[in-house]
């Protein structure tokens, strides 16, 4: 991968603008207007903000701009659509009782053992089947105007997965998403996911990120989660990617009354990772639990950023992130909690603990 560190933000703006203009027909071809209708606004926001660097306060400890400035291929036509994901990846767990979703380089590939009262499909394809849900939810939680990476994703993302857990459904088996990066060339991949946990439902999602070939990969992903009234949803993300991977992704969560959402970010390996976790407690009596574990060595860099918005009274949030860094590894944790003036009886807890095994390891924490 050719990385041009001196490439300016303005140069990258023009480069991605030209790339979008040249491929806009292919980008918009499979999605509905609910998705494509936001691309022009995202384009304008990106041209204003560009790719964040350390001058942007929320990214002061990480600069991923050089990786997004590298010479990378983008698949605008799903060239791996003929591949059976089972031929690429086996979980190795005998008789595992899970519903499995496969993504290959950001494209929805297959879903197996889908439970009753659950709807799963490709992000673009399902936008045609559920236009009212996309109109109601898509793009309403991820902060398009405040983050250049979200704007970039909204411009380019063509696929990912859609998950609807229907009202009153109790899903006994976990829903496992296997996100595979593979290919012989260095690649930039975008994915977009939409998860809706309807009233009174209960489910668990396990999202596993894997690399299966030794190419350089740069990933930009956005997942929006909506937990409606009395919904219980657990979100686990296990990152196990080789050191030639740079991933900037985020989960953006909206919770309604009496909902409980638990997020767990487990970074076992990734060259450079940025995990954004945004939670909006949009009604009373919500609970949000945010946990993270990261293990880094060599020259890996892991950056976890969380923002919890206590927008209503009688809500609870709990954050605990722990990490171990070896060799010349580096990382950071930034945790922000906003308690709005009318959000009385708020209970918010936050903790970050790190163990540095060498004098060369470095960590910044800003709780």
């Amino acid at each position: 991968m050719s990385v041009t560190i001196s490439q300016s933000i303005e140069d990258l703006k023009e480069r991605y603008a030209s790339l979008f203009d040249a491929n806009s027909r292919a980008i918009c071809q499979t999605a509905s207007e609910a998705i494509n209708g936001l691309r022009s606004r995202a384009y304008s926001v990106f041209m204003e903000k560009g790719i964040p660097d350390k001058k942007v306060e929320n990214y002061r400890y990480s600069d991923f701009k050089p990786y997004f400035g590298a010479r990378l291929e983008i698949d605008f036509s799903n060239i791996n659509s003929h591949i059976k994901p089972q031929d690429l990846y086996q979980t190795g767990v005998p008789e595992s009782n899970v519903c499995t979703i496969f993504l290959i380089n950001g494209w929805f590939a297959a879903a197996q053992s889908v439970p009753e009262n659950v709807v799963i499909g490709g992000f673009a394809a399902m936008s045609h089947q559920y236009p009212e849900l996309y109109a109601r939810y898509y793009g309403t939680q991820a902060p398009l105007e405040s983050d250049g990476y979200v704007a970039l994703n909204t411009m380019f993302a063509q696929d990912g997965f859609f998950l609807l857990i229907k009202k009153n459904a109790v899903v006994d088996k976990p829903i496992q998403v296997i996100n595979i990066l593979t290919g012989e060339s260095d690649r930039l991949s975008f994915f977009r996911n939409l998860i809706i946990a309807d009233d009174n439902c209960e489910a668990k999602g396990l999202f596993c990120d894997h690399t299966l070939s030794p190419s350089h990969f740069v990933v930009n992903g956005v997942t929006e989660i909506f937990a409606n009234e009395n919904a219980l949803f657990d979100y686990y993300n296990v990152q196990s990617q080789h050191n030639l991977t740079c991933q900037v992704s985020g989960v953006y969560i909206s919770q309604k009354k009496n909902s409980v959402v638990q997020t767990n970010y487990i970074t076992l390996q990734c060259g450079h990772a940025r995990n954004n976790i945004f939670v909006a407690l949009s009604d009373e009596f919500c609970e949000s639990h945010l946990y993270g574990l990261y293990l880094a060595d060599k020259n890996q860099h892991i950056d976890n950023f969380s923002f919890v918005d206590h927008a209503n009274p009688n809500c609870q949030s709990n954050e605990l992130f722990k990490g171990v860094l070896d060799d010349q590894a580096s990382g950071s944790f930034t945790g922000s909690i906003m308690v709005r003036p009318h959000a009385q009886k708020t209970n918010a807890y936050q903790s970050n603990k790190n163990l540095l095994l060498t004098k060369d390891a470095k960590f910044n924490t800003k709780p």
Side-chain angles (χ1 to χ4, degrees):
M1 178 172 64
S2 175
V3 177
T4 308
I5 296 178
S6 61
Q7 195 163 25
S8 70
I9 291 177
E10 293 301 320
D11 290 339
L12 287 179
K13 285 182 184 179
E14 294 301 325
R15 176 176 167 181
Y16 279 104
S18 298
L19 186 66
F20 180 81
D21 291 339
N23 296 279
S24 59
R25 178 176 294 184
I27 292 171
C28 298
Q29 186 173 11
T30 58
S32 71
E33 181 58 25
I35 297 173
N36 293 332
L38 288 181
R39 297 194 196 274
S40 60
R41 184 158 65 93
Y43 184 103
S44 299
V45 171
F46 179 75
M47 292 304 293
E48 176 187 350
K49 296 184 175 296
I51 291 178
D53 58 12
K54 290 186 177 182
K55 295 179 182 178
V56 177
E57 179 62 26
N58 287 352
Y59 289 87
R60 64 179 300 182
Y61 300 121
S62 301
D63 183 8
F64 300 101
K65 178 167 60 66
Y67 299 93
F68 283 82
R71 296 188 178 277
L72 304 162
E73 291 187 8
I74 303 177
D75 176 12
F76 292 113
S77 59
N78 193 11
I79 59 175
N80 294 314
S81 58
H82 64 285
I83 297 177
K84 293 182 179 180
Q86 300 88 337
D87 295 337
L88 290 177
Y89 183 86
Q90 298 290 333
T91 62
V93 180
E95 299 181 0
S96 60
N97 186 26
V98 298
C99 166
T100 306
I101 302 171
F102 288 97
L103 301 179
I104 301 177
N105 295 334
W107 292 86
F108 180 83
Q112 300 175 333
S113 304
V114 179
E116 292 186 59
N117 297 322
V118 172
V119 177
I120 296 172
F123 175 76
M126 301 304 279
S127 70
H128 296 283
Q129 295 189 36
Y130 294 91
E132 71 286 352
L133 291 181
Y134 276 73
R136 179 180 176 185
Y137 291 108
Y138 172 62
T140 62
Q141 187 57 30
L144 181 64
E145 283 78 11
S146 62
D147 194 312
Y149 285 116
V150 176
L152 184 66
N153 177 276
T154 307
M155 284 172 60
F156 282 99
Q158 294 176 266
D159 210 13
F161 70 86
F162 170 85
L163 171 61
L164 170 63
I165 304 150
K166 293 185 178 181
K167 188 175 181 178
N168 300 320
V170 177
V171 183
D172 294 328
K173 58 184 179 182
I175 300 167
Q176 183 180 20
V177 180
I178 299 176
N179 183 27
I180 299 170
L181 295 173
T182 187
E184 297 181 359
S185 60
D186 298 341
R187 186 176 301 277
L188 171 59
S189 294
F190 298 92
F191 65 81
R192 189 73 177 233
N193 306 320
L194 178 60
I195 300 172
I196 302 169
D198 213 343
D199 297 347
N200 305 303
C201 75
E202 183 176 348
K204 295 179 174 66
L206 173 61
F207 304 85
C208 304
D209 298 321
H210 298 282
T211 46
L212 298 185
S213 58
S215 302
H216 291 82
F217 295 102
V218 178
V219 182
N220 177 212
V222 172
T223 299
E224 291 181 289
I225 300 175
F226 297 88
N228 290 343
E229 289 192 15
N230 301 302
L232 304 178
F233 187 75
D234 290 354
Y235 174 95
Y236 298 84
N237 187 190
V238 180
Q239 297 173 325
S240 182
Q241 300 161 319
H242 61 51
N243 287 0
L244 302 180
T245 304
C246 171
Q247 177 159 316
V248 179
S249 60
V251 55
Y252 301 86
I253 303 167
S254 175
Q255 295 187 227
K256 293 299 184 181
K257 190 173 183 178
N258 291 317
S259 63
V260 180
V261 175
Q262 179 174 279
T263 61
N264 300 265
Y265 266 91
I266 304 169
T267 306
L268 301 178
Q269 185 171 348
C270 186
H272 288 73
R274 164 73 176 220
N275 301 314
N276 289 314
I277 308 107
F278 282 75
V279 180
L281 303 176
S282 305
D283 213 332
E284 289 190 89
F285 303 106
C286 297
E287 287 186 33
S288 183
H289 303 276
L290 294 78
Y291 303 112
L293 172 67
Y294 38 94
L295 308 175
D297 61 3
K298 299 180 181 177
N299 293 303
Q300 296 175 25
H301 178 78
I302 312 299
D303 183 352
N304 287 300
F305 182 97
S306 70
F307 183 91
V308 181
D309 183 1
H310 280 265
N312 286 277
N314 302 299
C315 293
Q316 301 181 42
S317 66
N318 177 49
E319 296 182 64
L320 176 60
F321 284 76
K322 293 184 176 182
V324 179
L325 283 75
D326 200 358
D327 301 326
Q328 293 82 42
S330 60
S332 64
F333 169 79
T334 302
S336 298
I337 299 173
M338 175 183 287
V339 181
R340 298 182 184 266
H342 63 279
Q344 301 298 312
K345 298 184 179 179
T346 287
N347 185 11
Y349 174 80
Q350 183 183 102
S351 179
N352 177 223
K353 301 178 184 295
N354 300 286
L355 176 63
L356 307 183
L357 300 180
T358 68
K359 64 179 181 179
D360 294 321
K362 181 180 180 181
F363 198 88
N364 293 291
T365 184
K366 186 183 176 184

